[in-house]
Amino acid sequence: MKLIQDISFKDKTALIRVDFNVPISKNGIINDRTRIKSHINTINNIIDNGGKVILVSHLGRPKGVWEKNLSLKNLVEAVSFESKRKVCFLDQKIGSKKLNEKISLTSRDEIILLENIRFYKEESSGDLLFCKNLSRLADVFVNDAFGTAHRKHSSTFHVAKYFNEKCIGNLFYKEYSSIFRVINNFSSPLTAIIGGAKISSKINVIKSFMSFADNILIGGGMMFTFIKSAGGEIGDSIFEEDELVKAASLLEMAKKNNVNLIVPKDSINSRAFVDNEDYIISDSKSIPEGLIGLDIGPKTVSEFKNIISKSKTIVWNGPMGVFEFKNFSTGTKEVAKAVASVTKKGAFSLVGGGDSISALKKFDLSSEVSYVSTGGGAMLHFLETKKLPAVQAILD
Ligand code: AMP
């Protein structure tokens, strides 16, 4: 697969698919610029190598209709500030003469930013004419949007086939190679730590880990679906009725595959879903009625820490409890500290998923893990299927 370093951009125009899907308020104020900042290196690299740059991104889920607060016009100032370049926003229709004319009038050191690609219904339908028109704007296709690498949309997948020259950008490469390392080139023992509220969104990734992980540590609300499926009493804790059979079969599968799948043995419970100090620790399979399990218990924490400390590769997605509440954040915090500490000793740790990233930030440990993946959905898809449509499109 080609990288931007393998292509000569001199006097060529590059269409770069970026992921500028930043959190934005109703009046167009950007609340976090991380996603913009993370693409600047790719953009500047191409311009510095003599290329002209056209950026394509989505923002939010407008489903084919124009929405003022989701216009990429709102991002012009931020992109300009972060890249230290002039940004030319062009909202003329893709496929129109006007857009082509405007692009040809723009100077090479200016960044061209097109309107939100999801304002076109053709983006999700993969319309061929739309893709052709998009491809006619440039000579090279660069995909730097790892966060949408699992989607077969026009600008992330279909458009690539109309380019002879195509590659992935620097951010895409960093994200891709970190996850690739976990799937294909890891040191054992490998420990997957999976948490969060729902088992339904992570069941496939857990299944996939069965074929290559040594340990799978389960935390968060999803633990209760496992415990209930094995006949445990979980009080009023959350669980997913529809996933009970699948959870039971995963427990069976782990035994057959000789994978050390650990469901927490104790939990910290509360009488209500509130941050109170009046918590009760119990065996996680005999939680009394009226109590809700909101964090993993102390026995589980020490068991998890022990396993993490002996691991050489760690993948973590999803908090161990309701870490947003101080009284139920210990499990997540202790796991984060254990991951940071084993990383210091040379293990490779990959952390992804919005809530795990927030937890690392909250405990000031973001820089203490090997890699923080910002493409949550794409990361799970890649770990689940070991493939990514966007990568396939660049290789074809
Ligand atoms: P997810 O989006 O599935 O990764 O879930 C993340 C959310 O799960 C976080 O907001 C946590 O507060 C929540 N969570 C973690 N553990 C529990 C639990 N035991 N009960 C309810 N919610 C939980």
Side-chain angles (χ1 to χ4, degrees):
M1 187 165 44
K2 282 194 173 160
L3 312 180
I4 60 173
Q5 291 73 17
D6 302 320
I7 289 180
S8 159
F9 287 94
K10 190 153 171 30
D11 299 327
K12 290 180 192 161
T13 301
L15 182 78
I16 313 181
R17 179 52 160 99
V18 289
D19 178 2
F20 282 171
N21 189 25
V22 290
I24 195 158
S25 62
K26 285 257 177 306
N27 48 5
I29 308 284
I30 303 167
N31 298 316
D32 181 355
R33 291 185 176 187
T34 310
R35 287 207 161 131
I36 294 176
K37 288 183 188 163
S38 61
H39 291 293
I40 299 301
N41 180 267
T42 298
I43 297 167
N44 280 341
N45 235 294
I46 292 173
I47 299 176
D48 291 344
N49 283 303
K52 185 167 177 170
V53 157
I54 303 174
L55 303 183
V56 181
S57 180
H58 72 285
L59 175 60
R61 296 182 176 215
K63 300 209 172 97
V65 286
W66 187 85
E67 277 182 48
K68 189 168 185 237
N69 69 313
L70 296 180
S71 168
L72 290 201
K73 196 174 181 183
N74 297 313
L75 271 53
V76 170
E77 211 190 298
V79 177
S80 176
F81 179 85
E82 299 301 337
S83 63
K84 300 188 179 57
R85 293 184 191 270
K86 231 173 128 183
V87 173
C88 173
F89 173 69
L90 299 179
D91 61 355
Q92 290 75 14
K93 235 180 150 212
I94 290 168
S96 71
K97 255 192 182 168
K98 261 224 161 120
L99 179 62
N100 293 10
E101 279 165 19
K102 289 266 181 192
I103 289 174
S104 60
L105 291 174
T106 314
S107 85
R108 290 208 163 266
D109 52 358
E110 267 182 72
I111 294 172
I112 297 168
L113 178 63
L114 301 186
E115 183 52 291
N116 190 341
I117 197 77
R118 287 197 188 157
F119 285 173
Y120 297 87
K121 58 179 183 345
E122 294 92 336
E123 167 64 354
S124 58
S125 70
D127 183 88
L128 294 186
L129 181 62
F130 180 73
C131 291
K132 259 188 198 164
N133 286 334
L134 192 56
S135 73
R136 283 183 184 134
L137 303 178
D139 309 296
V140 188
F141 176 60
V142 180
N143 195 346
D144 206 27
F146 184 81
T148 52
H150 55 312
R151 302 204 184 281
K152 282 190 171 176
H153 285 177
S154 292
S155 68
T156 61
F157 179 75
H158 300 287
V159 75
K161 61 174 162 284
Y162 297 104
F163 284 92
N164 291 326
E165 283 198 288
K166 46 197 162 186
C167 66
I168 54 170
N170 294 340
L171 174 68
F172 197 117
Y173 177 69
K174 270 203 297 188
E175 293 269 333
Y176 176 76
S177 51
S178 305
I179 305 170
F180 186 91
R181 178 173 171 169
V182 163
I183 299 172
N184 296 296
N185 191 20
F186 60 88
S187 306
S188 296
L190 185 147
T191 299
I193 310 165
I194 311 289
K198 289 187 171 174
I199 190 176
S200 49
S201 56
K202 310 228 172 101
I203 203 144
N204 289 334
V205 83
I206 298 173
K207 209 187 240 174
S208 165
F209 274 122
M210 292 282 179
S211 67
F212 64 106
D214 299 282
N215 309 296
I216 303 176
L217 312 183
I218 302 291
M222 70 164 70
M223 69 192 235
F224 299 108
T225 305
F226 279 105
I227 295 167
K228 196 171 170 70
S229 79
E233 303 283 342
I234 59 166
D236 293 346
S237 309
I238 56 164
F239 75 100
E240 287 169 273
E241 184 85 52
D242 293 348
E243 304 294 336
L244 286 171
V245 175
K246 281 188 202 156
S249 77
L250 282 181
L251 294 174
E252 272 306 305
M253 199 188 221
K255 270 188 216 152
K256 266 194 209 144
N257 289 19
N258 221 356
V259 174
N260 189 25
L261 186 145
I262 304 190
V263 177
K265 296 186 176 59
D266 58 348
S267 63
I268 307 184
N269 319 304
S270 170
R271 287 192 176 81
F273 193 84
V274 286
D275 191 8
N276 60 18
E277 283 174 16
D278 190 17
Y279 50 77
I280 295 143
I281 298 172
S282 77
D283 188 317
S284 57
K285 57 180 188 308
S286 45
I287 301 175
E289 293 233 344
L291 290 186
I292 314 167
L294 295 181
D295 195 8
I296 56 175
K299 270 192 216 152
T300 306
V301 167
S302 60
E303 187 176 21
F304 282 11
K305 281 176 90 166
N306 184 32
I307 291 171
I308 293 166
S309 72
K310 291 179 187 145
S311 305
K312 292 263 167 29
T313 308
I314 293 132
V315 189
W316 179 21
N317 190 306
M320 297 292 98
V322 185
F323 72 100
E324 298 92 336
F325 293 166
K326 189 172 174 293
N327 290 292
F328 303 98
S329 64
T330 310
T332 306
K333 188 175 183 175
E334 290 302 313
V335 161
K337 277 164 59 184
V339 173
S341 142
V342 77
T343 307
K344 214 173 245 165
K345 289 186 197 134
F348 180 78
S349 53
L350 168 68
V351 182
D355 286 295
S356 316
I357 298 174
S358 307
L360 279 182
K361 272 193 191 151
K362 184 171 177 161
F363 307 131
D364 208 14
L365 291 168
S366 307
S367 59
E368 313 261 326
V369 298
S370 311
Y371 194 73
V372 177
S373 172
T374 53
M379 172 181 166
L380 286 180
H381 184 99
F382 195 16
L383 289 168
E384 267 167 49
T385 63
K386 305 191 171 111
K387 281 188 246 158
L388 277 175
V391 171
Q392 211 49 49
I394 296 291
L395 289 171
D396 283 347

